[in-house]
Amino acid sequence: MERPRHQGMAKNTYMRWRLPLVCLLWEVAMIVLFGVFVRFGPEADAHWEEEKREMNLTSDIENDFYFRYPSFQDVHVMIFVGFGFLMMFLKRYGFGAVGFNFLLAAFGIQWALLMQGWFHSFKSGKILIGVENLINADFCVGSVCIAFGAILGKTSPIQLLIMTLFQVTLFAVNEYILLDLLHVKDAGGSMTIHTFGAYFGLTVTRILYRPNLEQSKDKQGSVYHSDLFAMIGTLYLWIYWPSFNSAISDHGDAQHRAAINTYCSLAACVLTTVAFSSMLQKKGKLDMVHIQNATLAGGVAVGTSAEMMLTPYGSLIVGFICGIVSTVGYVYLTPFLESRLHIQDTCGIHNLHAMPGLIGGIVGAITAAAATEDVYGKEGFIKAFDFTGTYQTRTPSVQGGFQAAGIVVSLLIAFAGGALVGAILRLPVWGDAATENCFEDDVYWEVPEDEESDVYHMHNPDKPASP
Amino acid sequence: MERPRHQGMAKNTYMRWRLPLVCLLWEVAMIVLFGVFVRFGPEADAHWEEEKREMNLTSDIENDFYFRYPSFQDVHVMIFVGFGFLMMFLKRYGFGAVGFNFLLAAFGIQWALLMQGWFHSFKSGKILIGVENLINADFCVGSVCIAFGAILGKTSPIQLLIMTLFQVTLFAVNEYILLDLLHVKDAGGSMTIHTFGAYFGLTVTRILYRPNLEQSKDKQGSVYHSDLFAMIGTLYLWIYWPSFNSAISDHGDAQHRAAINTYCSLAACVLTTVAFSSMLQKKGKLDMVHIQNATLAGGVAVGTSAEMMLTPYGSLIVGFICGIVSTVGYVYLTPFLESRLHIQDTCGIHNLHAMPGLIGGIVGAITAAAATEDVYGKEGFIKAFDFTGTYQTRTPSVQGGFQAAGIVVSLLIAFAGGALVGAILRLPVWGDAATENCFEDDVYWEVPEDEESDVYHMHNPDKPASP
Amino acid sequence: MERPRHQGMAKNTYMRWRLPLVCLLWEVAMIVLFGVFVRFGPEADAHWEEEKREMNLTSDIENDFYFRYPSFQDVHVMIFVGFGFLMMFLKRYGFGAVGFNFLLAAFGIQWALLMQGWFHSFKSGKILIGVENLINADFCVGSVCIAFGAILGKTSPIQLLIMTLFQVTLFAVNEYILLDLLHVKDAGGSMTIHTFGAYFGLTVTRILYRPNLEQSKDKQGSVYHSDLFAMIGTLYLWIYWPSFNSAISDHGDAQHRAAINTYCSLAACVLTTVAFSSMLQKKGKLDMVHIQNATLAGGVAVGTSAEMMLTPYGSLIVGFICGIVSTVGYVYLTPFLESRLHIQDTCGIHNLHAMPGLIGGIVGAITAAAATEDVYGKEGFIKAFDFTGTYQTRTPSVQGGFQAAGIVVSLLIAFAGGALVGAILRLPVWGDAATENCFEDDVYWEVPEDEESDVYHMHNPDKPASP
């Protein structure tokens, strides 16, 4: 049974030919480009035995696969289950949250393998991939999932695919500028993933501003069960964030350290989130929105510095601050951004990713600037910041300056890119829903009739059955 | 409150003595057989220090545990959470889906350790087990979970245990013929797990055909929340499938390669699934059944070839095709199989496992036949196909032929075994539910009365409470 | 809309200043203590390159991170998702179950890092942490999550934080006595985690006895969907328990063996749980409470012995027994404890943790006492029980005796500690809910109005909307 209002809706959300066309054409393009460019890296290629001999490795366990695959799988869970379920809090947008996240991420990782490959793994005309590339592709898509959070419920799947195409491209460019040109450290992506992704998404949602969005206000909330589904996303993001921040760090102490720092920051963040969630509600009750989101800010904010000698108590301090900033953001800043700046941020990514991402960039710059050979050891110092070759003479304070520059570059590319992509998405041909149908799965999905007379009332014989 | 129709149902589903008896007797049998046969393998035995010295290993990290345990846990999640939740889409069969899957898998892994152990790990009268055996046991049970998908909602737990007993046995025989006698490669089990499991299950459900199953048609659908629970299953299967296909591959490049190929195939598969799901619905809306299932077909279809030099673009092509085949299968083939061939396939395993499994076998045969020393390197070539000893002179094209033979053998054993087991399950003593009570947890489970007047209406003071 | 009865409730559950104060003060204390005491251990410190040279390690893969991190993440999932979702079975306490578990665990791991650090990782005035410390902190918090199960739904978040503070402290003391003074083996924590945690929690709930708890009996049950959420917790606990029991075992065979033993015990446990669940219900129907809980008892009961040469069939026997004991406990013992001993055990931790924990301690004592150099090998024997230095001359039977003493010590500290903490929690200042409001999220959480007229009835146009 179709609800009447859809029959009279102003916008054409009919996806039947447009969506398949985009999906099929783009996937064909991926196949062609992969065919031309992508090959197995030496550790995944059948010539590995020879490689091993050349590199003087005595055991298969030295294959990068065993250093990084467990972390990769944790990151993979975060992207598909973590983000997908976190966005499931809306009462009637669960299919869209998890399903569109699935779609855009599945496309995005392919395009990211190519884009990042051209910049970072290109050798003799081929992109040579291994497990580290898979992690980086997931990371890149993570920034798209973040941006998706801002426009959740208000865009068509085609718009999401278009945004993914552009955002992945710009992500790779920004990442190249930061990591290669500025020689900036950002293992957990406070700048490249969170700051970039969030301000990109906020710019897009600003441009897609819908003046009458309160028409669908009744569907912007959660129901009891949707909040529980969202907690699956929260917990998996929280649990696996140490893997995220350590996944592409150097082998050995750096991975180990990044995991510990992140673990500490996240733990502290939970306590200040709870404190401020209770403090800012007049009856002192906790708000699931804060628990679902602000508890994660500590992971975002050590994304740059986790692999450095931030130390466990330094991490606690960062987590402490970010739980507060993020929770306060949800209570005061999100309404302000919506009413004054016309930024309609469905999931509050400004509080979870943008501000903590900025803090993370700054913490990273400070931690780098404060590095000494005494703390790191002579070898550790060089290894941690890769002060070799051209960068042999770079000092910590200069590194700190470059780190800060990385924040600025990420912001600029996010704003410019978001404006461009927002403008493209405004074109009236992509099939986004009418404002009164936002946050409603029924527009793009076959939604089962819940036949609640059968399911929910089955034990209630006194109630007459619905016709 | 018992609903009246159960009181008058034709079949006796009273499990009180039959189910406990089967469970206890079989578990006692397991204990006795384990007592006689099963011991720790050298890498799990306390004599490991001596073993290490003999094998000239310098570090504990060379223990197979560290090569395979993370993959094992991912596979373990797939079997128990992945399959269990994927089958939870039915509105009133969530307990049965996850609970019976749990039961049959817990029994199946024990019996599989024995059966596979006798064929593959039998030394001086003992089965010596290690982490690879645990993975293989999970794999074997995976084929039973697949078959369960076809008969979901229509069988008693006793029938499921009986099916598990026979199917695990036949799986081990088939696996032995393929891997040992035909010397076929099938690391991710396109043939041994998917083709075998699916056609076995389809044969069983054909024999258990229920002519009046439309009597419970109202319960064969999903509700909004059950579809979200099913997505948990889908995503964990999708995310961890690279671990599945690489779990028992050779150490080093083979594991690494298998993970990358599977990752690529799955990503492509999502896009074509979305494309065809939209294209085949008259309003262009997406169908959760396709998203939940067809997106996984790409993992099935590289099960044989993932560890070979399929290459990333080859994987994309396989995933591309399988998303289409599987989605089209759900739309056109499943209704055809039900109406014409009387194959009632609750979860559509024909689309997710049978056809992609066959494709996977064929892709494996072709990839093997096309192998050259140039692509693999001299050592890599021998290692990849284990062309040593008796098989030293086997050529790629001969290997391709044997791979194809493996498909045929798997099909034959599946059909014959399924027919045998179906006939046994038809005996009227196993307590299956009457047709009008299919897909209903209330038959075998204490189901909480949802007291929706209390829970769902609690904030609705104007509605009088139910008596 | 606030339900009237809350306006007139007898107890003051207003958390607005008390809860934030506790969270913030304690987190500040953590930061100060971490600042004074906690530093990176040598494998996470940037001086690792020098360390590696000193320890003559040739590869980064020898870093303990790669031996334990995958297990750590599995344990992490168990604590936050496993326990959090397992306790979600209550129809109106899902937010509290998962949210308070999140809060207490996030605080507890910080305090545990300090407490356990002072006892076990204290060197030259600093606590040096690495991945093993993170695992141990999670373990310690596990015992608090267990105790939480007994008082679930009846305490305020402040009470939970206070209990966590004391219980973590006592856990560390008990652990020190057992592992260091008695030189007892308990890798998976049958005694230190389960026996201690469960009897601690049972003592607390006894002291917090609420005579009129049947007033909220209507909310102590589950609904269909809450039972499905709980199964997420069950399955992740079940799947990852082999990682739990092997996480801190010695590198190599011990970890490998512990995982296999646990896998076997858990598999057997499922079958006897199903058998007795059906047998003990008059219609032979299965009870989700048993499936959710008793299936896990096998993991608890091999917590001490899993790393020993318990052997696969020994593990099956332990699992076989514990499935029975636990299920019978739910049916007969829990009602008895409540009516006669006034122990109100919300989750039935007596059946899942207390009894299986005791069994686990006993099995461990017997397995240790039965150890021979023949079974373990000369080196393996010494390594397995760490019979070096002061303990060079300890015999297996003496070790068995000490193991048994460990059980007694754990029980004594649990009873004494639980009594103390229970007495503190009885003070009328911590904001626990009135008895008629137990098991109700609305007391401490902003609960969304489910607007079922909008959500569940949306496709039912014939039903008039609720006012």
Side-chain angles (χ1 to χ4, degrees), chain C residues 402-428:
Chain C
F402 276 99
Q403 295 280 143
I407 306 173
V408 177
V409 171
S410 298
L411 281 172
L412 291 178
I413 295 183
F415 289 132
L420 171 72
V421 171
I424 294 169
L425 297 188
R426 273 182 75 98
L427 297 176

Side-chain angles (χ1 to χ4, degrees), chain C residues 211-289:
Chain C
N212 304 311
L213 198 60
E214 74 278 6
Q215 286 178 358
S216 49
K217 213 67 184 177
D218 60 315
K219 273 175 267 150
Q220 276 197 66
S222 63
V223 288
Y224 197 69
H225 283 116
S226 70
D227 269 328
L228 296 179
F229 277 115
M231 280 305 291
I232 297 175
T234 299
L235 289 176
Y236 275 103
L237 288 169
W238 194 90
I239 290 166
Y240 286 152
W241 214 297
S243 302
F244 191 95
N245 283 348
S246 67
I248 56 161
S249 290
D250 284 342
H251 292 172
D253 60 306
Q255 278 196 285
H256 203 148
R257 192 162 58 240
I260 295 173
N261 279 329
T262 310
Y263 176 95
C264 290
S265 177
L266 286 163
C269 191
V270 174
L271 272 91
T272 51
T273 298
V274 168
F276 274 74
S277 183
S278 172
M279 204 189 292
L280 297 178
Q281 208 264 1
K282 65 181 191 301
K283 293 181 182 165
K285 293 187 183 184
L286 298 169
D287 188 331
M288 277 305 260
V289 172

Side-chain angles (χ1 to χ4, degrees), chain C residues 5-314:
Chain C
R5 58 178 161 184
H6 286 168
Q7 291 161 5
M9 65 196 167
K11 294 197 172 191
N12 177 10
T13 59
Y14 187 73
M15 290 282 112
R16 190 165 182 187
W17 302 113
R18 285 182 286 184
L19 180 59
L21 204 70
V22 171
C23 287
L24 294 177
L25 279 184
W26 290 16
E27 190 56 51
V28 169
M30 289 301 112
I31 291 173
V32 172
L33 290 168
F34 269 60
V36 175
F37 289 110
V38 181
R39 296 293 179 273
F40 294 120
E43 303 191 280
D45 193 280
H47 289 80
W48 162 248
E49 285 299 324
E50 298 159 33
E51 174 79 10
K52 228 164 59 175
R53 209 157 39 230
E54 266 169 47
M55 295 184 63
N56 219 6
L57 301 174
T58 54
S59 164
D60 285 324
I61 197 85
E62 298 281 347
N63 193 304
D64 197 34
F65 183 78
Y66 303 103
F67 286 91
R68 304 208 187 275
Y69 190 73
S71 309
F72 158 64
Q73 277 295 6
D74 294 349
V75 171
H76 218 36
V77 169
M78 292 173 74
I79 300 299
F80 290 87
V81 170
F83 281 108
F85 275 76
L86 181 61
M87 295 190 279
M88 222 185 243
F89 68 99
L90 291 171
K91 65 180 73 160
R92 290 299 295 180
Y93 207 70
F95 292 6
V98 73
F100 293 155
N101 185 69
F102 195 14
L103 172 63
L104 73 84
F107 166 66
I109 52 177
Q110 298 177 59
W111 181 229
L113 280 176
L114 288 165
M115 280 303 306
Q116 296 180 315
W118 283 316
F119 279 121
H120 296 287
S121 312
F122 201 60
K123 265 167 210 151
S124 348
K126 300 292 174 198
I127 296 166
L128 302 181
I129 65 173
V131 65
E132 194 170 340
N133 298 71
L134 306 189
I135 297 170
N136 276 313
D138 272 23
F139 276 8
C140 175
V141 162
S143 86
V144 185
C145 299
I146 291 166
F148 179 31
I151 56 177
L152 183 73
K154 300 176 293 184
T155 44
S156 75
I158 295 177
Q159 287 178 305
L160 295 173
L161 285 171
I162 292 170
M163 185 177 84
T164 306
L165 179 73
F166 282 97
Q167 194 178 346
V168 166
T169 309
L170 291 166
F171 178 99
V173 171
N174 183 51
E175 187 186 44
Y176 177 72
I177 297 174
L178 265 65
L179 304 191
D180 288 60
L181 303 188
L182 303 180
H183 195 71
V184 149
K185 304 300 281 183
D186 194 25
S190 290
M191 294 178 281
T192 52
I193 301 169
H194 298 286
T195 302
F196 169 75
Y199 284 104
F200 184 95
L202 292 167
T203 311
V204 170
T205 200
R206 173 62 191 84
I207 290 174
L208 298 181
Y209 177 63
R210 290 170 179 261
N212 304 311
L213 198 60
E214 74 278 6
Q215 286 178 358
S216 49
K217 213 67 184 177
D218 60 315
K219 273 175 267 150
Q220 276 197 66
S222 63
V223 288
Y224 197 69
H225 283 116
S226 70
D227 269 328
L228 296 179
F229 277 115
M231 280 305 291
I232 297 175
T234 299
L235 289 176
Y236 275 103
L237 288 169
W238 194 90
I239 290 166
Y240 286 152
W241 214 297
S243 302
F244 191 95
N245 283 348
S246 67
I248 56 161
S249 290
D250 284 342
H251 292 172
D253 60 306
Q255 278 196 285
H256 203 148
R257 192 162 58 240
I260 295 173
N261 279 329
T262 310
Y263 176 95
C264 290
S265 177
L266 286 163
C269 191
V270 174
L271 272 91
T272 51
T273 298
V274 168
F276 274 74
S277 183
S278 172
M279 204 189 292
L280 297 178
Q281 208 264 1
K282 65 181 191 301
K283 293 181 182 165
K285 293 187 183 184
L286 298 169
D287 188 331
M288 277 305 260
V289 172
H290 308 154
I291 307 302
Q292 284 159 9
N293 292 281
T295 50
L296 302 168
V300 175
V302 295
T304 301
S305 55
E307 63 174 7
M308 303 178 189
M309 290 291 281
L310 180 59
T311 75
Y313 71 89

Side-chain angles (χ1 to χ4, degrees), chain B residues 38-71:
Chain B
V38 181
R39 296 294 179 273
F40 294 120
E43 303 191 280
D45 193 280
H47 289 80
W48 162 248
E49 285 299 323
E50 298 159 32
E51 174 79 9
K52 228 165 57 176
R53 209 158 38 231
E54 266 170 47
M55 296 184 65
N56 219 5
L57 301 174
T58 53
S59 165
D60 284 324
I61 198 85
E62 298 282 347
N63 193 304
D64 197 35
F65 183 78
Y66 302 104
F67 286 91
R68 304 208 186 275
Y69 190 74
S71 309

Side-chain angles (χ1 to χ4, degrees), chain C residues 432-453:
Chain C
D432 54 318
T435 296
E436 69 268 28
N437 292 328
C438 283
F439 314 112
E440 169 59 54
D441 272 334
D442 207 18
V443 179
Y444 302 112
W445 297 85
E446 287 195 78
V447 175
E449 301 193 16
D450 271 12
E451 302 183 75
E452 46 82 51
S453 61

Side-chain angles (χ1 to χ4, degrees), chain A residues 152-228:
Chain A
L152 183 73
K154 300 176 293 185
T155 44
S156 75
I158 295 178
Q159 287 178 305
L160 294 173
L161 285 170
I162 292 170
M163 185 177 83
T164 305
L165 179 73
F166 282 96
Q167 194 179 346
V168 166
T169 310
L170 291 165
F171 179 99
V173 171
N174 184 50
E175 187 186 44
Y176 177 73
I177 296 174
L178 265 64
L179 303 191
D180 288 60
L181 303 188
L182 303 180
H183 195 70
V184 149
K185 305 299 282 184
D186 194 25
S190 290
M191 294 178 281
T192 52
I193 301 169
H194 298 285
T195 302
F196 169 76
Y199 285 103
F200 184 95
L202 291 166
T203 310
V204 169
T205 199
R206 172 64 191 82
I207 290 175
L208 298 181
Y209 177 62
R210 289 170 180 262
N212 304 311
L213 198 61
E214 74 278 7
Q215 285 178 359
S216 49
K217 212 72 185 172
D218 59 315
K219 272 176 266 147
Q220 277 198 64
S222 63
V223 288
Y224 196 70
H225 282 116
S226 70
D227 270 327
L228 296 179

Side-chain angles (χ1 to χ4, degrees), chain A residues 376-402:
Chain A
Y376 286 76
K378 197 175 168 61
E379 284 165 282
F381 180 74
I382 293 166
K383 194 177 155 199
F385 296 97
D386 205 11
F387 284 160
T388 54
T390 332
Y391 305 99
Q392 211 168 346
T393 57
R394 194 184 269 191
T395 63
S397 53
V398 171
Q399 178 68 22
F402 276 99

